[in-house]
Amino acid sequence: MAAPDEQELSQEQTEKLLQFQDLTGIDSMDQCRRTLEQHNWNIEAAVQDRLNEQEGVPSVFNPPPSRPLQVNTADNRVYSYIVSRPQPRGLLGWGYYLIMLPFRFTYYTVLDIFRWPWERRQWSRWELPGFALRFIRPEPRGRVTDPVGDVVSFIHSFEENYGRSHPVFYQGTYSQALNDAKRELRFLLVYLHGDDHQDTDVFCRNTLCTEEVLNFVNTRMLFWACSTSRPEGYRVSQALRENTYPFLAMITLKDRKMTVVGRLEGVIQAEDLINQLTFIMEANQTYLVSERMEREERNQTQALRLQQDEAYLASLRADQEKDRKKKEEEEQKRRQEEVARQIVLAEERRQQTLQEEKERRSESLPPEPSPDNPDSVKIVFKLPNDSRVERRFLFTQSLTVIHDFLFSLKETPEKFQIVTNFPRRVLPCLPTEERPIPPTLKEAGLSRSEVLFVQDLTDD
């Protein structure tokens, strides 16, 4: 036998698969198939669950851990409508009823005692059937381990027995249905299915699956249902405390609490069911209208607060931007001032160093020879500022002495060179790689009386 995911799809399933892909835009055909299989090929429920996921609502098959929503079942204004079974008529009817009463009581009691193990699994050799063991064993339905699975399993069983023409079942847990109804401000109709109750089959076939009930429920409310033989249904049954089956409960948001506002019990006809549900909805519509108005007011207040917050943040960001630019300008100005101060300090240190160097070279100059000295040379220096300086040197002295003398003068620029008038040439006063020892005045070809020009090289 092929695995479920390898089975061939029927024509109806193939059409639903393609339709679901077109409606949801899911590219993966396998993902579309898995989603439809999870919803028992109910395309309406599958599409709704997909839309809920896109809106941020978690899938019913992957619910987040949350605290169950509490339902107020003690409202003293709850509307209760009970349809009693017809009483036996005549002596023959009462006689048959009394004769069958012990058998019915015994049958349903024994069935209730042993129902759960037989429905879920085979008896093990440790689970000996017997009244004593059943009375001491805890109720297995009290442990809810797969609530979504319980609901989906019930829907599948319901469709096998009564077909697919029925109101759209909410495919999720009871708590999720309550949360959706509260969020969407809709009525939630809860149906508890009693598998073994004698009126269940008649109600499902003649009332619940009729076209008028189907259209009425699908267009006006959410519809959640489960069998009380399953843990999820049993848990809801313990909360709602039904008296008989079929059982319907209308739940809506009332005074900010999810509240049971209507209870319908017994076999109720389709037209009567619609009338009773309409009456319950009209009696409690004002609560939903009030809640919608409050929500709209809260939303408007929240939107206004959000706009104010955005305006405040925009103003705050503008002020912060101004402060940032101001700090940047101040920091830039401070850096410029610091750079200027460092330049001034560096210039002062350079001038001080230059002055010290001038003084050192002035002190190291040899004494000026007398005019009577036959080796003396009289030199007149023409400075760049058009001033003249005169001094005597010896023919035997190096040209470096002339350079040091001029360097020690205040009027002389920092960098300069000494040039003869005719023929024009630059005197090599400083050592170079080609001439590490500058020549003497005599070697440089100077006469006893010379006029030399000091050329400013500071710009260069």
Side-chain angles (χ1 to χ4, degrees):
M1 183 177 179
D5 57 346
E6 297 177 353
Q7 292 178 350
E8 295 294 334
L9 298 178
S10 65
Q11 182 177 359
E12 180 184 3
Q13 290 175 334
T14 303
E15 292 176 356
K16 288 186 176 181
L17 184 63
L18 296 175
Q19 184 180 3
F20 179 76
Q21 188 180 40
D22 291 339
L23 292 174
T24 60
I26 300 177
D27 296 331
S28 174
M29 191 67 71
D30 292 337
Q31 183 179 353
C32 293
R33 179 172 178 173
R34 286 194 301 269
T35 303
L36 285 171
E37 287 176 345
Q38 286 178 333
H39 292 83
N40 197 23
W41 292 94
N42 187 323
I43 189 170
E44 293 86 356
V47 170
Q48 184 61 47
D49 195 27
R50 177 66 180 176
L51 294 177
N52 288 343
E53 288 186 17
Q54 293 176 349
E55 294 175 359
V57 180
S59 170
V60 297
F61 294 94
N62 188 26
S66 60
R67 182 179 179 182
L69 191 63
Q70 298 298 321
V71 177
N72 179 17
T73 59
D75 189 357
N76 55 6
R77 292 170 292 178
V78 61
Y79 177 78
S80 182
Y81 184 80
I82 301 176
V83 180
S84 302
R85 289 185 56 79
Q87 298 295 328
R89 294 183 179 182
L91 183 62
L92 182 62
W94 277 103
Y96 177 77
Y97 175 77
L98 294 175
I99 292 173
M100 294 302 297
L101 182 59
F103 295 98
R104 289 176 180 172
F105 177 79
T106 304
Y107 170 76
Y108 286 113
T109 302
V110 174
L111 187 63
D112 180 68
I113 292 174
F114 295 105
R115 175 200 300 153
W116 185 256
W118 290 341
E119 288 181 350
R120 284 297 188 185
R121 49 188 166 83
Q122 297 295 327
W123 285 92
S124 69
R125 62 190 182 92
W126 302 107
E127 292 178 333
L128 301 177
F131 289 101
L133 187 61
R134 175 63 183 89
F135 285 127
I136 64 175
R137 183 170 61 87
E139 171 59 59
R141 292 177 295 174
R143 298 178 59 191
V144 181
T145 57
D146 184 14
V148 177
D150 292 339
V151 175
V152 174
S153 178
F154 161 72
I155 296 173
H156 181 69
S157 174
F158 187 93
E159 292 179 345
E160 286 182 348
N161 294 325
Y162 306 108
R164 297 195 174 186
S165 179
H166 56 75
V168 176
F169 292 114
Y170 183 94
Q171 296 205 16
T173 66
Y174 175 63
S175 297
Q176 291 169 341
L178 288 172
N179 284 321
D180 283 354
K182 181 178 181 180
R183 185 181 66 254
E184 299 172 12
L185 293 178
R186 299 180 65 184
F187 287 96
L188 172 64
L189 182 62
V190 175
Y191 167 60
L192 294 180
H193 185 84
D195 291 323
D196 303 315
H197 196 274
Q198 54 190 340
D199 295 332
T200 296
D201 187 73
V202 175
F203 174 77
C204 291
R205 294 186 187 278
N206 299 336
T207 300
L208 191 59
C209 292
T210 59
E211 185 176 356
E212 55 266 35
V213 172
L214 185 153
N215 293 331
F216 181 84
V217 173
N218 286 348
T219 56
R220 306 245 183 143
M221 63 198 70
L222 295 178
F223 184 52
W224 184 90
C226 192
S227 172
T228 56
S229 64
R230 305 183 185 279
E232 178 69 354
Y234 178 76
R235 180 174 69 88
V236 178
S237 171
Q238 293 295 302
L240 299 181
R241 298 294 183 183
E242 75 280 9
N243 297 311
T244 185
Y245 300 99
F247 175 79
L248 294 165
M250 183 71 84
I251 303 175
T252 190
L253 186 62
K254 180 179 179 181
D255 299 330
R256 298 189 177 181
K257 293 181 181 180
M258 293 302 288
T259 305
V260 177
V261 294
R263 297 168 63 93
L264 306 177
E265 300 181 80
V267 180
I268 183 171
Q269 300 303 315
E271 183 179 357
D272 195 13
L273 175 61
I274 293 175
N275 291 336
Q276 296 300 326
L277 293 177
T278 302
F279 175 78
I280 295 173
M281 293 172 64
E282 290 177 352
N284 294 276
Q285 190 67 36
T286 55
Y287 298 107
L288 294 183
V289 173
S290 176
E291 181 62 28
R292 287 192 184 96
M293 293 178 62
E294 289 183 7
R295 286 193 181 182
E296 184 177 354
E297 184 178 354
R298 288 197 298 268
N299 292 337
Q300 291 178 353
T301 302
Q302 185 177 4
L304 178 60
R305 186 177 302 167
L306 182 61
Q307 292 176 358
Q308 292 175 346
D309 292 343
E310 290 178 351
Y312 170 75
L313 290 177
S315 176
L316 181 61
R317 285 192 292 268
D319 292 341
Q320 291 175 344
E321 182 66 16
K322 290 180 181 179
D323 292 341
R324 185 186 64 81
K325 289 183 177 180
K326 183 177 180 181
K327 290 181 179 179
E328 287 183 354
E329 292 175 356
E330 292 177 352
E331 179 64 19
Q332 184 178 4
K333 182 179 179 181
R334 187 193 64 80
R335 288 196 298 266
Q336 292 175 349
E337 292 176 351
E338 179 64 20
V339 170
R341 190 179 69 86
Q342 293 296 332
I343 292 175
V344 171
L345 292 176
E347 179 63 20
E348 291 177 353
R349 288 193 295 269
R350 190 184 66 80
Q351 291 293 339
Q352 182 178 358
T353 303
L354 180 63
Q355 185 61 31
E356 292 175 353
E357 181 66 17
K358 287 179 176 289
E359 293 176 357
R360 185 186 66 80
R361 293 193 184 187
S362 177
E363 293 175 354
S364 62
L365 287 173
E368 183 179 4
S370 62
D372 300 335
N373 192 327
D375 292 330
S376 65
V377 178
K378 178 184 177 183
I379 302 178
V380 176
F381 299 98
K382 296 188 69 174
L383 300 179
N385 60 359
D386 294 334
S387 61
R388 293 171 175 264
V389 177
E390 180 180 331
R391 192 182 189 281
R392 293 180 180 275
F393 300 90
L394 295 176
F395 277 114
T396 57
Q397 291 176 340
S398 172
L399 291 177
T400 304
V401 177
I402 298 177
H403 185 275
D404 290 347
F405 167 73
L406 292 174
F407 183 81
S408 64
L409 299 177
K410 292 183 179 181
E411 299 83 358
T412 307
E414 295 181 21
K415 294 181 181 181
F416 60 91
Q417 62 184 8
I418 304 172
V419 182
T420 60
N421 187 19
F422 187 82
R424 181 178 175 81
R425 59 191 177 94
V426 178
L427 297 178
C429 299
L430 298 177
T432 60
E433 292 182 358
E434 296 78 8
R435 188 190 293 269
I437 300 176
T440 61
L441 275 65
K442 185 175 183 180
E443 293 172 346
L446 297 182
S447 61
R448 290 184 61 86
S449 179
E450 289 283 348
V451 176
L452 300 179
F453 296 88
V454 178
Q455 185 178 358
D456 189 357
L457 301 180
T458 302
D459 294 338
D460 297 339

